[in-house]
Amino acid sequence: MDTKQLENKLIGFFQRCQDRGYPLENSRLREVETDYVLEVKANWIDKMNSYSKALDILIGFLWETTDAETRKKIFAISILDSEEHSQILTEITQDK
């Protein structure tokens, strides 16, 4: 699966974030060997008490909107700060 195919498979995830009141300002896929890191930035994340709460929300939406094949291609989710520096990188496990 290439980057464009993966982006298409994540459309439902991005829409779910928007629909549930957790819109992403910016997102991109960064290729790491044969997998990808999903990098995200959003104002609502900066306002939360902890990044782990934001990751719980994002990972929940990812599981609700994608199939196992898509999730296998996403090695991790990285939260970016306002200057787009990675603040946390959480590996996605295939078990939930």
Side-chain angles (χ1 to χ4, degrees):
M1 183 179 312
D2 66 18
T3 305
K4 190 66 176 166
Q5 291 171 316
L6 187 53
E7 287 172 350
N8 287 335
K9 292 195 175 251
L10 289 172
I11 289 172
F13 166 75
F14 298 128
Q15 189 61 51
R16 179 70 50 95
C17 290
Q18 180 74 33
D19 292 348
R20 296 280 177 91
Y22 298 100
L24 300 177
E25 278 179 49
N26 191 10
S27 65
R28 63 180 172 247
L29 290 168
R30 182 170 44 91
E31 194 168 356
V32 180
E33 296 181 23
T34 60
D35 295 320
Y36 295 87
V37 173
L38 176 59
E39 297 180 326
V40 298
K41 177 184 169 197
N43 285 332
W44 62 267
I45 294 173
D46 294 335
K47 296 174 184 173
M48 295 193 95
N49 293 338
S50 73
Y51 288 127
S52 66
K53 289 180 184 179
L55 287 167
D56 287 345
I57 291 166
L58 294 170
I59 290 170
F61 292 164
L62 188 68
W63 250 255
E64 292 170 10
T65 60
T66 60
D67 60 17
E69 177 189 358
T70 302
R71 291 190 301 270
K72 283 180 186 176
K73 296 304 292 178
I74 300 173
F75 170 73
I77 293 179
S78 176
I79 293 179
L80 305 176
D81 65 16
S82 59
E83 295 180 13
E84 300 204 9
H85 296 115
S86 181
Q87 294 301 304
I88 188 167
L89 180 75
T90 298
E91 186 175 333
I92 303 297
T93 60
Q94 297 309 309
D95 299 325
K96 183 164 192 231

